[in-house]
Amino acid sequence: MIYIKRWIEYYDGIFSADEKKVRFFCKLAEEFPEKQKFLSIECGTGNLSLKLAPEYDITDTDTQSEFVSIVKDRTLNLEKPFPIFNLNPKDIGKYLGKNFYNIIFSLNYRILFTDNEGNIVQLLKDCNGLLTKGGYFAIEILTPPVFNSEQNVIELPRQFNIRSTLFTYITKTQTPNVCKITQTLKTSSGKIIEEVIDEPICFISKERMEEISKEAGYSSITFYHDYDFNPPMEKATRFLCLLKK
């Protein structure tokens, strides 16, 4: 997992926790008795967790201690600060409660930053063990890139807001389903910030996600284009997977 240290102040703008995401998870929570328990894996700045915290029991984890510190600072003024653990996704099955969480989510495709699909498969299995019966695991996945015969690099759609624009480039490698990702942030003042350079990233197709979700013990998997429960679009560069135990 990588840590976006040099452009962390722009993180919330690029990876926003808008009201559509809040409504999506509130809708899922209606299926469980109060007070519903959420777990966020690779939570980043915890911006979505902070919006869910007034209504639900929240636990956050992140690989990077800097993100953990940010979330702790942001929870100081909450009536009930939620726990945040400096924990690698590989270890959640060892240290978190079995059959405890109703909803687990890992957004912004951070769990894809690996050169080993097995790490993602194991995460799905571990999360299944942490979920209550009928619980959900929601993860954002990037669509596997399609290179033509003359391409080695493709650019994904730019993510932008009033303060910055994120440029993302995917480079082909010789390893199946593994590419290199480079991300450059350009601020509204024109400053260029480069930090993510040729990091390995693993791509998983919807068909493969269906296979490994069954292997991990989930009863179903549904794909969405967005947080309005719309079906995936054919040429979309990312999609949301919702796995049900």
Side-chain angles (χ1 to χ4, degrees), residues 138-157:
I139 53 176
E140 287 181 358
I141 298 293
L142 294 176
T143 305
V146 178
F147 299 91
N148 63 38
S149 58
E150 299 178 354
Q151 275 183 315
N152 287 315
V153 180
I154 61 173
E155 182 182 0
L156 298 187

Side-chain angles (χ1 to χ4, degrees), residues 206-240:
K206 289 197 287 292
E207 293 77 15
R208 179 59 179 149
M209 279 297 301
E210 290 176 338
E211 292 176 357
I212 64 178
S213 67
K214 290 180 181 179
E215 178 185 338
Y218 293 89
S219 64
S220 67
I221 181 171
T222 307
F223 302 103
Y224 297 106
H225 174 66
D226 53 29
Y227 290 89
D228 285 328
F229 294 93
N230 291 315
M233 297 175 63
E234 183 177 349
K235 295 184 179 181
T237 57
R238 68 185 64 197
F239 53 94
L240 175 67

